[in-house]
Amino acid sequence: MAEQLGAEPIAPGVLLIERRLGARLRHGRVLLKPEVAEGARVPPSLIELAWREPSPDSAPSRLLFLDTETSGLAGGTGTWAFLTGILIGAPDTLILRQYLLTSLDAESAYLDAVGGELSAPATLVSYNGRAFDAPLLTTRFRLCGQPDPLGQLWHLDLLAPVRRAFGRVWPDCRLMSAESKLLGFAREDDLPGSAAPAAWLGWIQRGEMAALGGVLRHNRWDLLSLAGLIPVLGEAFEDPGCHGADTHAVARHHWAQGRLGQALSLLEADSSRLTDTGLMDLADLYRRQDRWADCCAIWQRLASQGSQDALSALAKYHEHKRHDLPLALEYAEALAPSAEREHRCQRLRRKLQG
């Protein structure tokens, strides 16, 4: 089996398949270089979405890309992570290692090997790994009575930035969709991840290994796509238009991180395509800069289309900023019936009376 898979036995029931990928590897449209595994090259917009709370400046200096194949997709104590793939950088090359469990009674040795890869400080990079791969591995470590190295690692789950930037643009945010749209990578003769359990159980129960090569290839492609997505997602968070990302969603991320100027620039540049909610956010950023003419232009445009938020904003503006009470009342009365509308109108009428 080891010979047919190009693997090295590292313990009874555990195989290691290692590939040195060289200094330049094309994956779809993206050229992968060893530097892609350097933490310093990850854009702050992505590191900010990592699991750990401290400042992005304190993130580990290296990345470790991880993907598992499992005996089932439900998780829990009855699910085995039988293949763990890891991609790391080294001088002048990327190194891809795949640890394959070929015997159930070898799990302890298998986890020893995987745990050794995870013991050094790193930012773990996965796709949906926070919800699936990491909890599953943690469960397997605990069931085997071994320390869990995952709890000490930063964890950047790329599903989060993909959903943030493309969740309202694409039909779905699966890894295959992301690699197709952002990397131009199309899988040929791929064995889907959902077929991996049957392939492994075929070996465990009947000694059938024909499908395991497809599982290894699928896992390898997953890891390469993770590495390729890092720079492309960084570009999407700096210039959403270059990859068709959701400008409003990306701007909201920068806003939440305190980069109001960058959020404003993004929304201004794409204002013709913003939804009403996006335009209201743009007006709010103008308001924070005392650009009242720009605010009112947006509010008036949306109010003419019946926007309740815009009518309310105009009523507040003319009451508190311009002190034009008749006009403020006019906008307040245009609001749909509600307790807030009645309260505002009554207050304005009292002010007008005296």
Side-chain angles (χ1 to χ4, degrees), residues 9 31 47 70 113 117 123 133 154 160 175 267 277:
L31 190 63
I47 286 293
T70 66
E117 294 280 3
T123 295
D133 304 73
W154 285 56
L175 178 58
L267 292 176
T277 304

Side-chain angles (χ1 to χ4, degrees), residues 97-238:
R97 297 192 183 110
Q98 294 170 296
Y99 293 91
L100 178 63
L101 177 67
T102 63
S103 176
L104 297 182
D105 60 4
E107 186 180 30
S108 181
Y110 166 80
L111 291 175
D112 277 340
V114 172
E117 294 280 3
L118 302 176
S119 61
T123 295
L124 195 68
V125 182
S126 70
Y127 205 89
N128 198 34
R130 283 182 61 186
F132 187 73
D133 304 73
L136 178 58
L137 283 173
T138 291
T139 297
R140 301 317 304 180
F141 279 117
R142 289 175 178 171
L143 288 173
C144 283
Q146 298 188 15
D148 174 22
L150 291 162
Q152 305 303 314
L153 300 178
W154 285 56
H155 191 165
L156 173 57
D157 186 339
L158 293 185
L159 180 58
V162 168
R163 278 181 173 164
R164 182 72 57 90
F166 300 99
R168 295 186 296 195
V169 179
W170 296 348
D172 64 74
C173 291
R174 295 177 303 147
L175 178 58
M176 287 184 64
S177 298
E179 66 187 14
S180 172
K181 295 175 183 296
L182 298 178
L183 307 181
F185 179 68
R187 301 190 183 213
E188 297 182 2
D189 300 322
D190 182 40
L191 182 79
S194 59
W200 184 63
L201 291 173
W203 164 258
I204 294 295
Q205 296 171 353
R206 298 180 297 277
E208 299 170 356
M209 60 167 294
L212 286 177
V215 177
L216 291 167
R217 183 175 62 245
H218 175 89
N219 179 260
R220 184 165 64 248
W221 282 342
D222 283 354
L223 290 166
L224 295 177
S225 289
L226 290 178
L229 285 173
I230 291 283
V232 176
L233 286 172
E235 293 169 2
F237 272 77
E238 294 303 310

Side-chain angles (χ1 to χ4, degrees), residues 36-40 42 59-65 86-89 97 116-125 153-154:
V36 76
E38 295 177 7
V42 181
S61 61
R62 74 182 188 111
L63 303 183
L64 187 152
F65 301 93
I86 288 170
L87 179 69
I88 58 174
R97 297 192 183 110
E117 294 280 3
L118 302 176
S119 61
T123 295
L124 195 68
V125 182
L153 300 178
W154 285 56

Side-chain angles (χ1 to χ4, degrees), residues 2-330:
E3 183 177 351
Q4 292 188 43
L5 295 177
E8 172 192 357
I10 59 172
V14 184
L15 298 181
L16 168 63
I17 301 95
E18 178 170 312
R19 293 169 180 261
R20 301 181 74 84
L21 305 177
R24 297 167 66 87
L25 173 69
R26 185 162 296 281
H27 186 66
R29 293 189 297 264
V30 177
L31 190 63
L32 299 179
K33 301 179 181 179
E35 303 90 84
V36 76
E38 295 177 7
R41 293 180 179 266
V42 181
S45 300
L46 299 188
I47 286 293
E48 287 163 352
L49 293 169
W51 176 74
R52 304 284 282 199
E53 289 298 328
S55 161
D57 295 337
S58 63
S61 61
R62 74 182 188 111
L63 303 183
L64 187 152
F65 301 93
L66 178 139
D67 185 65
T68 64
E69 307 302 331
T70 66
S71 64
L73 301 179
T77 57
T79 303
W80 299 65
F82 69 85
L83 174 63
T84 299
I86 288 170
L87 179 69
I88 58 174
D92 302 321
T93 190
L94 287 167
I95 300 175
L96 192 151
R97 297 192 183 110
Q98 294 170 296
Y99 293 91
L100 178 63
L101 177 67
T102 63
S103 176
L104 297 182
D105 60 4
E107 186 180 30
S108 181
Y110 166 80
L111 291 175
D112 277 340
V114 172
E117 294 280 3
L118 302 176
S119 61
T123 295
L124 195 68
V125 182
S126 70
Y127 205 89
N128 198 34
R130 283 182 61 186
F132 187 73
D133 304 73
L136 178 58
L137 283 173
T138 291
T139 297
R140 301 317 304 180
F141 279 117
R142 289 175 178 171
L143 288 173
C144 283
Q146 298 188 15
D148 174 22
L150 291 162
Q152 305 303 314
L153 300 178
W154 285 56
H155 191 165
L156 173 57
D157 186 339
L158 293 185
L159 180 58
V162 168
R163 278 181 173 164
R164 182 72 57 90
F166 300 99
R168 295 186 296 195
V169 179
W170 296 348
D172 64 74
C173 291
R174 295 177 303 147
L175 178 58
M176 287 184 64
S177 298
E179 66 187 14
S180 172
K181 295 175 183 296
L182 298 178
L183 307 181
F185 179 68
R187 301 190 183 213
E188 297 182 2
D189 300 322
D190 182 40
L191 182 79
S194 59
W200 184 63
L201 291 173
W203 164 258
I204 294 295
Q205 296 171 353
R206 298 180 297 277
E208 299 170 356
M209 60 167 294
L212 286 177
V215 177
L216 291 167
R217 183 175 62 245
H218 175 89
N219 179 260
R220 184 165 64 248
W221 282 342
D222 283 354
L223 290 166
L224 295 177
S225 289
L226 290 178
L229 285 173
I230 291 283
V232 176
L233 286 172
E235 293 169 2
F237 272 77
E238 294 303 310
D239 180 11
C242 70
H243 293 292
D246 183 338
T247 298
H248 183 210
V250 172
R252 289 292 305 182
H253 171 74
H254 290 296
W255 190 342
Q257 297 298 326
R259 295 186 291 272
L260 273 63
Q262 188 168 1
L264 176 60
S265 297
L266 291 177
L267 292 176
E268 280 186 319
D270 205 19
S271 60
S272 63
R273 297 197 303 148
L274 294 178
T275 63
D276 289 0
T277 304
L279 287 169
M280 287 298 294
D281 277 348
L282 176 57
D284 194 17
L285 288 169
Y286 284 145
R287 178 186 62 80
R288 291 164 184 261
Q289 295 188 348
D290 290 330
R291 293 172 58 175
W292 295 105
D294 293 320
C295 284
C296 288
I298 292 175
W299 291 336
Q300 288 165 355
R301 170 185 160 189
L302 294 178
S304 69
Q305 300 168 4
S307 167
Q308 297 296 295
D309 289 337
L311 287 168
S312 179
L314 284 167
K316 294 175 183 177
Y317 168 71
H318 286 290
E319 178 182 1
H320 301 295
K321 193 71 178 178
R322 292 290 305 277
H323 307 292
D324 186 337
L325 299 184
L327 189 53
L329 180 59
E330 181 179 332

